[in-house]
């Protein structure tokens, strides 16, 4: 990336064709050079013979990483001749993305618009629905190798639009659609996804560092962002956000190292306040009650006061709109709050987590723009918990 001066790789997805039954050992010999090599520890490879079916992927138990050699290895017992597919996390293809967009377009309850085009000429689709007086934006998959982010979007849109129930929605959704007007971007980085990139778009820009310029204008280290030439995805979305305003925001990702679902908040922003602290605490506590795959204690170490990087998406939105804003991370590994060694964190659970966010948004709705000291009357269970990245 031009700004960070880094090269990224970590995600893998490949096919192995064998003749005859037998056990085969696989090794990725340059795993030690990956962007997050330390994250290989306790990771497990996924395998499937029907890769287009998200539910078919299972974890390979004997996956291991040798830090001394930099090799990631596993073995697979092939039962017959044929193909098996292996992946760091089950893929969410561009074809599946288009199918999701098509399903949304067929619903009479939303509007699908392109906010602009990527460098490779793909549309940046935004799904708008609801009639409420609070505006909620949710973006997904700025880092294209984090496939669980778009599975999250798929689950969220399925529940909001009743995509799996001929348009019928539950009572909570019916209420929430009267509270909020939603703007949902299922994939911020379709070029990177199609190209197989881990963190960047077509020209190598890390979109989650393109939400504001850095350095002093005119100085040698000045970096202008976003721009149509390097980060049109962010440019077009941010322009639309400025038009609609934002009252609540989530940016959905995946994290290679921490085996938990978690939120990273805006603690380091200059406008972090009792209000934003209370909103973060109440939202996350409610989310945890709605889905125990979410938790509050583990996250990135919060930024020190007034030291947030404002070119990171959720920090920029918190500052720009003085609203509840957070980065939501999902694990590549098994989720230790509810371990499932065979399946680990997987597409179905990512989709369910997307569905569950509706309950948390309903809970914090009355407080989003409340100008009173509402936090004094919230129950103790909603209190903000300062997280840590230490869990062993």
């Amino acid at each position: 990336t031009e700004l960070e001066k880094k090269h990224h790789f970590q995600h893998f997805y490949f096919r192995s064709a064998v003749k005859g039954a037998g056990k085969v050992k696989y090794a990725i010999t340059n795993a030690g050079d990956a962007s997050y090599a330390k994250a290989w520890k306790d990771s497990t490879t996924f395998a499937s013979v029907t890769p287009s079916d998200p539910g078919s992927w299972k974890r390979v138990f004997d996956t291991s990483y040798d830090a001394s050699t930099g090799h990631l290895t596993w073995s697979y017992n092939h039962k017959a001749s044929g193909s098996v597919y292996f992946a760091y996390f089950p893929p969410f293809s561009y074809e599946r993305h288009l199918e999701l967009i098509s399903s949304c377009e067929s619903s009479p309850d939303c509007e699908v618009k392109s906010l602009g085009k990527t460098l490779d000429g793909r549309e940046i689709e935004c799904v708008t629905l609801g009639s409420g007086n609070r505006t909620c934006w949710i973006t997904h998959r700025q880092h294209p190798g984090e496939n669980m982010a778009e599975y999250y979007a798929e689950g969220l849109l399925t529940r909001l639009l009743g995509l799996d129930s001929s348009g019928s929605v539950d009572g909570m959704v019916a209420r929430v659609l009267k509270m909020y007007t939603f703007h949902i971007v299922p994939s911020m980085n379709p070029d990177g996804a199609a190209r197989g990139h881990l963190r960047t778009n077509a020209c190598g820009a890390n979109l989650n560092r393109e939400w504001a310029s850095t350095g002093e204008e005119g100085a040698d280290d000045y970096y202008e962002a976003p721009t149509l030439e390097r980060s049109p995805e962010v440019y077009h979305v941010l322009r639309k956000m400025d038009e609609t305003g934002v009252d609540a925001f989530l940016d959905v990702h995946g994290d290679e190292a921490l085996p938990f679902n978690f939120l990273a908040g805006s603690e380091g922003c200059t406008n972090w306040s009792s209000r934003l602290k209370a909103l973060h605490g109440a939202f996350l506590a409610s989310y945890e009650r709605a889905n125990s795959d979410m938790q509050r204690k583990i996250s990135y170490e919060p930024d020190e006061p007034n030291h947030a990087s404002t070119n990171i998406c959720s920090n920029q939105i918190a500052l720009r709109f003085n609203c509840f804003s957070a980065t939501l991370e999902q694990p590549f590994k098994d989720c230790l709050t509810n371990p499932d060694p065979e399946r680990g964190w997987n597409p179905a659970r990512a989709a369910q987590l997307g569905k569950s966010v509706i309950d948390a948004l309903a809970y914090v709705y009355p407080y989003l723009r409340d100008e009173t000291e509402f936090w004094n009357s919230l129950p103790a269970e909603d209190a903000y918990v300062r997280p840590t990245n230490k869990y062993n």
Side-chain angles (χ1 to χ4, degrees), residues 235-251:
Y235 179 92
H236 290 301
V237 169
L238 192 54
R239 186 173 65 171
K240 187 65 175 181
M241 286 178 167
D242 285 337
E243 179 184 317
T244 67
V246 183
D247 298 305
F249 174 73
L250 287 174
D251 184 31

Side-chain angles (χ1 to χ4, degrees), residues 281-296 353 356 359-360 362-364 367 378-383:
F283 176 88
L284 192 46
S286 176
Y287 206 163
E288 188 178 51
R289 291 192 291 269
N291 188 329
S292 62
D293 280 337
M294 181 54 73
Q295 55 78 50
R296 290 180 277 177
L353 194 67
S356 302
D359 301 69
Y363 186 74
V364 298
Y367 311 113
L378 289 174
E381 63 185 8
D382 287 349

Side-chain angles (χ1 to χ4, degrees), residues 112 137 173 212 231 247 337 346 349 360:
V112 180
W137 277 81
V173 168
S231 47
D247 298 305
T337 49
N346 58 60
R349 290 173 74 181

Side-chain angles (χ1 to χ4, degrees), residues 91-111:
F92 196 109
S93 67
Y94 186 61
E95 289 72 24
R96 189 178 183 92
H97 166 79
L98 293 178
E99 289 172 3
L100 175 60
I101 295 301
S102 178
S103 295
C104 294
E105 288 174 329
S106 68
S107 170
D109 300 318
C110 72
E111 181 180 36

Side-chain angles (χ1 to χ4, degrees), residues 118-171:
T118 66
L119 293 173
D120 283 345
R122 294 183 175 88
E123 307 295 343
I124 307 164
E125 297 102 346
C126 180
V127 182
T128 300
L129 68 158
S131 59
N133 64 348
R134 294 289 176 255
T135 300
C136 177
W137 277 81
I138 306 180
T139 57
H140 307 78
R141 208 174 176 186
Q142 286 201 79
H143 296 150
E146 297 163 7
N147 301 326
M148 60 285 287
E150 195 158 4
Y151 282 112
Y152 183 106
E154 190 174 60
L156 170 62
L157 289 166
T158 295
R159 186 179 181 193
L160 283 174
L161 293 170
L163 297 180
D164 59 354
S165 55
S166 301
S168 295
V169 297
D170 60 76

Side-chain angles (χ1 to χ4, degrees), residues 171-243:
M172 177 64 79
V173 168
R175 285 176 51 212
V176 164
L177 290 176
K178 294 177 182 178
M179 299 174 179
Y180 290 94
T181 299
F182 287 95
H183 301 277
I184 298 169
V185 183
S187 179
M188 283 286 296
N189 198 341
D191 288 355
R195 286 168 171 251
H197 292 183
L198 177 67
R199 291 175 69 82
T200 61
N201 69 355
C203 76
N206 177 353
L207 295 185
N208 202 27
R209 301 296 184 274
E210 293 282 322
W211 290 79
S213 300
T214 55
E216 295 293 329
E217 190 169 0
D220 291 341
D221 65 346
Y222 180 67
Y223 183 88
E224 183 183 1
T227 67
L228 287 171
E229 294 74 25
R230 185 178 54 247
S231 47
E233 301 90 347
V234 175
Y235 179 92
H236 290 301
V237 169
L238 192 54
R239 186 173 65 171
K240 187 65 175 181
M241 286 178 167
D242 285 337
E243 179 184 317

